[in-house]
């Protein structure tokens, strides 16, 4: 019973923090599905990644906050609906409520068939920006979790190498731990400019950070 009581206390504390969270309140006020929108907003504003007319691929898109942010950035008036100057393709293993102007594919990015569907949806275009908020279900076993995280990031990097414009950018979520240093090295081998970012909207207690890679190096 003691464990359950502690669990209830933890859940109550988390709920209290969540309800009083500045970014949660802001997301409700501005119509974003999750506070995560402000993580991408801060990264985009810092590096000027998403420009009018861009083709953006959103990996691990559900519930859709990042796609919502991109959609507004590509709208001449910054609106959540109406004219869109650019294109957005979103993909997630989970279902996602429709967003006007966003092409959503449901499937597992690790499967070749799903990757083929994504490539088909791009219709031969190269992406200006690929963003990935993908994260595996963490087991708590360090080595296993590090491997899962690394695998998703490696897939995103490989996808970027194949489908990103030479001057394009990739943003991925990573976690500090066993997989972090090798993933930073992978980014440095792949991109001319690499920046780690911990947005203000990312919770202090979270070990998540984001890697931004800009400008593909010419592969030998």
């Amino acid at each position: 019973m003691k464990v359950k009581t502690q669990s209830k206390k933890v859940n109550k504390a988390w709920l209290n923090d969540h309800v009083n969270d500045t970014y949660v309140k802001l997301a409700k006020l501005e119509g974003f599905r999750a506070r995560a929108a402000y993580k991408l907003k801060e990264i985009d504003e810092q590096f000027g990644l998403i420009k009018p007319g861009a083709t953006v691929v959103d990996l691990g898109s559900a519930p859709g906050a990042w796609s919502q942010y991109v959609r507004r950035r590509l709208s001449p008036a910054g609106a959540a609906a109406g004219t869109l100057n650019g294109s957005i393709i979103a993909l997630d293993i989970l279902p996602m409520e429709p967003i006007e102007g966003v092409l959503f594919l449901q499937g597992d990015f690790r499967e070749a068939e799903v990757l083929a569907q994504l490539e088909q949806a791009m219709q031969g275009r190269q992406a200006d920006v690929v963003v990935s908020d993908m994260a595996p279900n963490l087991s708590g076993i360090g080595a296993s979790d590090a491997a899962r995280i690394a695998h998703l990031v490696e897939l995103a990097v490989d996808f970027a190498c194949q489908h990103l414009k030479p001057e394009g950018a990739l943003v991925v979520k990573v976690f500090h731990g066993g997989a972090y240093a090798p993933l930073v090295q992978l980014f440095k081998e792949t991109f001319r400019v690499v920046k780690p970012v911990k947005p203000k909207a990312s919770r202090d207690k979270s070990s998540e950070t984001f890697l931004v890679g800009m400008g593909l190096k010419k592969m030998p």
Side-chain angles (χ1 to χ4, degrees):
M1 292 299 289
K2 192 175 181 184
V3 175
K4 284 187 178 177
T5 305
Q6 286 178 339
S7 177
K8 280 180 183 174
K9 282 181 182 174
V10 170
N11 288 342
K12 195 172 181 182
W14 180 89
L15 192 61
N16 188 54
D17 288 348
H18 184 74
V19 168
N20 294 310
D21 184 289
T22 303
Y23 292 102
V24 171
K25 291 177 179 176
L26 203 55
K28 284 182 180 175
L29 187 69
E30 297 189 340
F32 287 113
R33 294 175 184 177
R35 67 194 299 289
Y38 299 100
K39 299 174 190 177
L40 182 59
K41 182 175 188 284
E42 189 176 330
I43 293 167
D44 179 38
E45 287 175 349
Q46 187 172 341
F47 298 105
L49 303 178
I50 302 165
K51 299 180 175 72
T55 295
V56 181
V57 177
D58 181 4
L59 302 173
S61 58
W66 278 23
S67 284
Q68 284 181 304
Y69 171 75
V70 175
R71 195 254 175 270
R72 294 185 193 191
R73 284 287 290 127
L74 295 181
S75 167
T83 309
L84 188 66
N85 182 10
S87 59
I88 309 158
I89 303 164
L91 183 144
D92 202 294
I93 198 167
L94 299 170
M96 186 178 92
E97 288 292 319
I99 298 169
E100 186 179 316
V102 177
L103 172 61
F104 174 67
L105 301 171
Q106 186 174 353
D108 191 334
F109 184 66
R110 294 168 293 188
E111 294 177 4
E113 187 182 333
V114 174
L115 201 52
Q117 288 176 7
L118 179 56
E119 289 170 347
Q120 189 177 1
M122 293 184 74
Q123 298 175 329
R125 293 168 295 181
Q126 285 185 302
D128 295 275
V129 184
V130 176
V131 295
S132 172
D133 201 21
M134 290 191 295
N137 291 323
L138 300 177
S139 65
I141 302 167
S144 176
D145 288 341
R148 289 179 190 171
I149 292 162
H151 182 53
L152 287 174
V153 174
E154 286 161 5
L155 284 174
V157 169
D158 187 57
F159 178 81
C161 288
Q162 303 296 324
H163 301 287
L164 202 59
K165 289 179 181 174
E167 297 302 318
L170 171 66
V171 179
V172 302
K173 176 158 71 179
V174 295
F175 295 89
H176 284 284
Y180 183 74
L183 292 176
V184 171
Q185 185 58 36
L186 174 62
F187 259 64
K188 286 180 176 177
E189 290 167 3
T190 309
F191 296 97
R192 293 197 300 276
V193 178
V194 177
K195 300 285 185 183
V197 185
K198 174 80 169 176
K200 293 185 184 73
S202 184
R203 298 184 197 274
D204 293 338
K205 295 171 188 174
S206 172
S207 67
E208 76 172 9
T209 190
F210 294 86
L211 289 178
V212 181
M214 294 173 283
L216 286 168
K217 287 183 175 178
K218 287 184 179 176
M219 298 298 166

